[in-house]
């Protein structure tokens, strides 16, 4: 049986929210939970977690706050200067 940690991730170009997807995947990895158990923990459908982690969902700040609160974290939003190639 394969874990959903082993599933390939869409290329960044196909993702709407790659940074959010990566952050939520990392948070779930820290909890060592399957998507199903993580979804139950945060009170969201597994399909929502799947779409967030795939980067295909335009997830709201409220949903991210809910995920953070359920996992004992705080949500932090930053505006940063983009890296430019030299």
């Amino acid at each position: 049986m394969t874990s959903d940690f082993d599933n390939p991730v869409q290329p960044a170009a196909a993702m709407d929210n790659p940074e959010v997807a990566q952050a939520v995947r990392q948070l779930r990895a820290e909890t060592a939970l399957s998507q199903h158990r993580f979804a139950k923990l945060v009170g969201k459908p597994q399909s929502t977690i799947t779409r967030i982690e795939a980067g295909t969902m335009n997830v709201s700040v409220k949903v991210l706050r809910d995920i953070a609160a359920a996992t004992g974290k705080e949500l932090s939003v930053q505006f940063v200067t983009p890296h430019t190639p030299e």
Side-chain angles (χ1 to χ4, degrees):
M1 184 172 150
T2 62
S3 114
D4 46 18
F5 289 110
D6 299 327
N7 288 342
V9 178
Q10 292 181 337
M15 300 175 120
D16 291 332
N17 294 299
E19 297 88 357
V20 171
Q22 180 181 5
V24 173
R25 280 194 311 272
Q26 178 61 38
L27 178 60
R28 184 170 65 82
E30 290 173 15
T31 67
L33 295 174
S34 66
Q35 279 188 347
H36 177 76
R37 291 190 187 272
F38 186 77
K40 285 194 174 286
L41 172 70
V42 302
K44 304 296 176 197
Q46 182 178 349
S47 61
T48 296
I49 302 304
T50 299
R51 290 187 352 247
I52 293 170
E53 289 188 3
T56 59
M57 180 178 177
N58 188 9
V59 62
S60 69
V61 172
K62 180 192 180 319
V63 169
L64 293 174
R65 280 191 185 130
D66 291 347
I67 291 170
T71 57
K73 304 283 185 176
E74 291 184 4
L75 178 64
S76 173
V77 177
Q78 299 179 20
F79 292 95
V80 296
T81 303
H83 297 288
T84 56
E86 293 182 34

